[in-house]
């Protein structure tokens, strides 16, 4: 049996008729730019993400770009982020003429290490030049937002959460009296940026994105920037772009959004099954693999149903990773490396300052990580086959 990394047919089958009806509605309305579907999705997504409001945009990349533009990031500015992410995070900084500065990642979560971020912020050459913090909630688990927000407050900086992979993931926000309030990705920072790329937990039938933002004035700026910076029409006080969300995508996403909690649950169930299957095969104990950890889960029995990790990707560390990947692909098991080259070593990013500086944990992650199938409709038998194939590889 083949086990694909992702099988969208399985998700499509039960939703097909409803999706066709929603798409037909848009077609027949002849409202093809913005309109009620986009507005409805903005409302529903803002409510789901516990955010004050949301702005629909054309992709996760445009969400990041428009958010940084609204925050007036420009030439000469520095933005502090992680070197271990998808290129869009860093590409948007560079496209504005700004430059990324990196702090290394936490080896357990693969997310920006707040202590190292603090050290970078404290460096004299960065004083006054770092204009925003851009943590990424990689693979579906929030970066450690409380210390990141504390740094932002100390230095007077906005925080843009790259939540492209983490829609609905919760973070244990510390409240007075030692209490915890679970806050969803994109509701903590100044803005949250989401992607509806089809492989995301909430995926469209093409590109799409959203910015969550509580501040009404900033939200308005983002809305203006989304349509060429035009307000009123054909007057352009701001430089913007065509960052509009397509109503066809909004219509499809409105059909899918009510299913998101169940899909998150299924992904968490699949992660728990992997945990059992890998343990039964003795692979973590043998040092062959390191399994992903949901570091915020669970704080109490009542919290078990919360989406501490939404497992957009199930990423293990593996000994002899490249050979294992070839072995799995040879046996019909989908897997992928997210990401093989950290940002500071990418051709489009490389800067003399970073040569030799090194971010050892990001570089080690790039050498060791491998994403396995985790999509909601994956069966127990398929997961057993994945683990069996991995066990076979290490027995050879
Ligand atoms: C961490 C991260 N940031 C940004 C993006 C960009 O999103 P999009 O592909 O919708 O432009 C992605 C998408 O893969 C991502 O994973």
């Amino acid at each position: 049996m083949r086990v694909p990394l992702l099988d969208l047919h399985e998700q499509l089958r039960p939703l097909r008729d409803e999706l066709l009806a929603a798409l037909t509605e848009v077609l027949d309305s002849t409202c093809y730019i913005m309109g009620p579907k986009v507005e409805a999705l903005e409302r529903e997504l803002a409510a789901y993400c516990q955010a004050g409001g949301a702005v629909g945009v054309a992709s996760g990349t445009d969400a990041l770009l428009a958010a940084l533009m609204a925050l007036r990031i420009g030439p000469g500015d520095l933005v502090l982020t992680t070197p271990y992410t998808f290129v869009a995070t860093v590409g948007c900084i560079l496209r504005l003429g700004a430059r990324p500065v990196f702090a290394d990642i936490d080896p357990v979560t693969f997310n920006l290490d707040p202590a190292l971020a603090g050290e970078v912020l404290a460096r004299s050459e960065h004083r006054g030049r770092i204009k925003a913090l851009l943590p990424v909630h990689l693979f579906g688990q929030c970066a450690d937002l409380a210390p990141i927000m504390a740094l932002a407050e100390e230095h007077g900086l906005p925080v843009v959460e790259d939540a492209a992979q983490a829609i609905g993931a919760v973070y244990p926000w510390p409240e007075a009296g030692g209490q915890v309030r679970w806050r969803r990705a994109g509701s903590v920072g100044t803005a949250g940026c989401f992607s509806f790329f089809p492989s995301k937990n909430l995926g469209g039938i093409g590109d799409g994105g959203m910015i969550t933002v509580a501040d009404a004035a900033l939200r308005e700026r983002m809305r203006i920037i989304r349509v060429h910076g035009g307000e009123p029409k054909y007057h352009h006080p701001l430089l913007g772009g065509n960052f509009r969300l397509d109503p066809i995508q909004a219509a499809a996403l409105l059909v899918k959004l009510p299913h998101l909690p169940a899909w998150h649950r299924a992904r968490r169930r699949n992660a728990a099954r992997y945990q059992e299957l890998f343990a039964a095969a003795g692979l973590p104990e043998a040092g062959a693999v390191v399994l992903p950890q949901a570091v915020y889960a669970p704080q109490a029995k009542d919290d078990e149903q919360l989406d501490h990790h939404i497992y957009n990707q199930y990423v293990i560390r593996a000994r002899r990773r490249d050979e294992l990947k070839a072995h799995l692909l040879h046996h019909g098991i989908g897997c992928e490396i997210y990401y093989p080259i950290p940002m500071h070593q990418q051709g489009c990013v490389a800067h003399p300052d970073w040569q030799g500086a090194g971010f050892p944990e990001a570089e080690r992650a790039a050498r060791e990580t491998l994403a396995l199938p985790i999509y909601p409709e994956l069966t127990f038998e398929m997961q057993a086959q994945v683990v069996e194939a991995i066990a076979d590889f290490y027995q050879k």
Side-chain angles (χ1 to χ4, degrees), residues 84 288 315-328 335-341 363-371 393-394:
Y84 191 59
V315 176
I316 64 169
R317 289 183 190 264
R319 209 169 59 205
R320 293 160 52 211
R321 189 268 318 267
D322 291 342
E323 287 170 66
L324 174 64
K325 182 184 176 208
H327 171 86
L328 292 178
C335 56
E336 190 49 277
I337 298 169
Y338 300 118
Y339 297 94
I341 303 173
E363 288 163 27
R364 185 164 75 89
R367 284 195 305 272
E368 295 182 352
T369 53
L370 189 65
F393 172 77
Y394 287 111

Side-chain angles (χ1 to χ4, degrees), residues 59-61 64 85-86 88-89 136 162 164-165 195 197 200 207-208 339:
S59 66
T61 305
L64 289 164
T85 181
F86 180 62
T89 316
V136 179
D162 182 340
Q165 302 183 7
S195 164
F197 187 83
K200 299 296 191 263
D207 279 309
Y339 297 94

Side-chain angles (χ1 to χ4, degrees), residues 332-373:
I333 292 169
C335 56
E336 190 49 277
I337 298 169
Y338 300 118
Y339 297 94
I341 303 173
M343 286 303 117
H344 63 288
Q345 295 177 337
Q346 294 285 355
C348 68
V349 180
H351 186 281
D353 284 5
W354 298 315
Q355 279 163 15
F359 299 96
E361 287 302 341
E363 288 163 27
R364 185 164 75 89
R367 284 195 305 272
E368 295 182 352
T369 53
L370 189 65
L372 303 178

Side-chain angles (χ1 to χ4, degrees), residues 98-115:
R99 254 186 48 199
V101 266
F102 299 115
D104 209 353
I105 56 168
D106 173 312
V108 174
T109 63
F110 303 108
N111 283 326
L112 187 67
D113 181 326

Side-chain angles (χ1 to χ4, degrees), residues 78-305:
L78 303 178
V79 177
L80 174 54
T81 191
T82 163
Y84 191 59
T85 181
F86 180 62
V87 68
T89 316
V90 170
C92 291
I93 300 169
L94 289 165
R95 285 165 66 189
L96 292 173
R99 254 186 48 199
V101 266
F102 299 115
D104 209 353
I105 56 168
D106 173 312
V108 174
T109 63
F110 303 108
N111 283 326
L112 187 67
D113 181 326
L116 297 177
E119 286 174 21
V120 171
L121 275 163
R123 276 193 214 140
S124 57
E125 71 266 30
H126 295 148
R127 196 147 303 143
R129 292 186 61 208
I130 295 180
K131 295 291 167 55
L133 307 184
L134 181 32
V136 179
H137 306 321
L138 205 66
F139 305 142
Q141 178 164 239
C142 288
D144 197 358
L145 285 167
I148 290 172
M149 293 307 289
L151 285 173
E153 196 170 330
E154 182 188 337
H155 294 269
L157 297 173
V159 175
V160 176
E161 297 176 56
D162 182 340
Q165 302 183 7
I167 189 165
V170 292
Y171 177 82
W173 184 258
E175 298 272 275
Q179 298 289 98
V180 155
R181 178 158 61 101
W182 293 100
R183 294 177 69 176
R184 286 215 157 116
S187 72
V188 177
T190 316
C193 298
F194 295 87
S195 164
F196 304 127
F197 187 83
S199 65
K200 299 296 191 263
N201 288 31
L202 180 64
I205 54 171
D207 279 309
M210 188 75 72
I211 311 170
T212 50
V213 51
D215 184 272
L218 190 58
R219 190 160 64 241
E220 190 50 27
R221 241 178 113 72
M222 289 172 185
R223 282 192 202 287
I224 295 169
I225 284 171
R226 170 175 64 180
V227 283
H228 303 284
E231 177 62 31
K233 211 172 179 186
Y234 305 125
H235 295 68
H236 300 275
L238 301 173
L239 180 65
N242 177 356
F243 300 142
R244 292 181 295 245
L245 176 62
D246 190 325
I248 290 275
Q249 297 307 327
L253 291 160
L254 282 165
V255 170
K256 289 185 169 198
L257 183 57
H259 300 276
L260 189 58
W263 291 335
H264 285 342
R265 267 198 306 281
R267 284 173 184 263
R268 275 195 283 117
R269 176 206 60 207
N270 294 350
R273 280 181 187 162
Y274 270 137
Q275 184 98 22
E276 286 170 18
L277 287 162
F278 274 110
L283 289 167
E285 292 72 14
V289 299
V290 178
L291 304 183
Q293 270 189 49
V295 293
Y296 308 124
Q299 306 253 329
K301 187 97 184 88
D302 293 349
D303 298 336
E304 276 172 13
Q305 291 310 310

